[in-house]
Amino acid sequence: MKMVFLGPPGAGKGTLSDMASARLNLPHISTGDLFRAAVKHETELGKKVKDIIALGQLVPDDLTIALVRERLNHGDASKGWILDGFPRTTAQAEALQEVDPVDLVVDFEVQDSLILFRLTGRRLCPQCGKIYHLVTMPPAKEGLCDHCGGSLSSRPDDREEAIRVRLLAYREQTEPLIAWYGSRDLLVTIDGSGAPDLVYSRFESAVIRYRQDR
Ligand SMILES: [Zn+2]
């Protein structure tokens, strides 16, 4: 099954992608990871991407599409995949349909107030990378990592004003994409509120419905 996961920052898309990847045995392909791997392995595309990122520019569609196409040609992607972070535009979506058509686009929807709660309460250990939440997953000792004792901090882009800016940008960019997939009957919207296991069970029901319908 070939799937695209969409969702605003704080929707839990990364967690859900990992869960679906492990349980359905499909590769989780994130364009962020693809860029980093291409740069690290100094491939032809990686060299181009490196220069663009070094200049602080956005990687253009044709390069991103070339990287995704290359990744989708790997043997592990022949039975399906989960794409996360791509496509971001209808032009990219059109290109993807030509390369390897999507079966289902899953949009994880979460209300802004819940996204703000999730992200403003997020604390992270800079030493070991463990993530906490002040309310839902607090450390045993305030401000300190349970795992390594490091001092917890928040990301600058997890401040409320910054989150609101990211949400607006996300919605503006993704609205046409959601409409595009919706008009092709490829879109399913999942309630992204609640614990990851609950959201996953909603996703699972949607996949079962999809398989019964086709
Ligand atoms: Zn730690």
Side-chain angles (χ1 to χ4, degrees):
M1 194 154 181
K2 296 164 182 177
M3 290 184 280
V4 166
F5 280 13
L6 299 175
K13 193 160 49 80
T15 308
L16 268 299
S17 303
D18 285 338
M19 288 169 86
S21 166
R23 296 182 196 185
L24 302 174
N25 197 24
L26 298 172
H28 170 197
I29 301 172
S30 125
T31 38
D33 291 345
L34 283 185
F35 291 153
R36 280 185 288 275
V39 170
K40 191 177 157 203
H41 297 123
E42 298 184 316
T43 63
E44 276 311 305
L45 289 170
K47 284 175 198 163
K48 289 182 194 165
V49 170
K50 190 179 177 179
D51 293 340
I52 293 163
I53 292 176
L55 290 168
Q57 293 167 348
L58 277 181
V59 181
D61 274 3
D62 57 340
L63 261 184
T64 309
I65 292 159
L67 265 174
V68 170
R69 179 186 285 132
E70 194 180 79
R71 179 63 185 86
L72 296 183
N73 279 332
H74 287 201
D76 69 335
S78 61
K79 287 197 181 119
W81 33 258
I82 296 161
L83 265 176
D84 164 14
F86 180 92
R88 289 198 193 269
T89 62
T90 49
Q92 290 182 349
E94 278 166 16
L96 180 61
Q97 288 309 92
E98 278 168 30
V99 173
D100 206 359
V102 165
D103 296 314
L104 189 64
V105 176
V106 186
D107 180 27
F108 294 95
E109 245 327 304
V110 177
Q111 282 193 346
D112 286 4
S113 56
L114 180 57
I115 291 172
L116 281 164
F117 170 80
R118 282 181 178 173
L119 295 183
T120 54
R122 190 157 74 171
R123 293 294 179 273
L124 141 137
C125 173
Q127 284 187 45
C128 72
K130 201 167 166 4
I131 294 170
Y132 297 85
H133 189 278
L134 292 180
V135 178
T136 57
M137 213 199 293
K141 278 186 197 165
E142 198 186 325
L144 296 178
C145 177
D146 295 345
H147 185 64
C148 74
S151 293
L152 303 182
S153 59
S154 53
R155 293 182 193 160
D157 63 350
D158 280 348
R159 275 204 299 267
E160 184 166 339
E161 308 87 277
I163 296 165
R164 289 194 187 278
V165 171
R166 279 156 69 200
L167 276 176
L168 259 180
Y170 172 82
R171 300 217 191 271
E172 253 173 38
Q173 191 183 39
T174 336
E175 240 162 55
L177 192 59
I178 287 174
W180 195 88
Y181 279 127
S183 69
R184 281 157 185 80
D185 203 18
L186 292 169
L187 184 78
V188 57
T189 303
I190 305 277
D191 176 3
S193 64
D197 278 332
L198 178 63
V199 181
Y200 191 86
S201 67
R202 292 181 193 130
F203 160 74
E204 219 166 24
S205 313
V207 169
I208 292 167
R209 271 200 307 277
Y210 165 84
R211 285 184 170 149
Q212 285 167 344
D213 286 354
R214 315 274 151 149

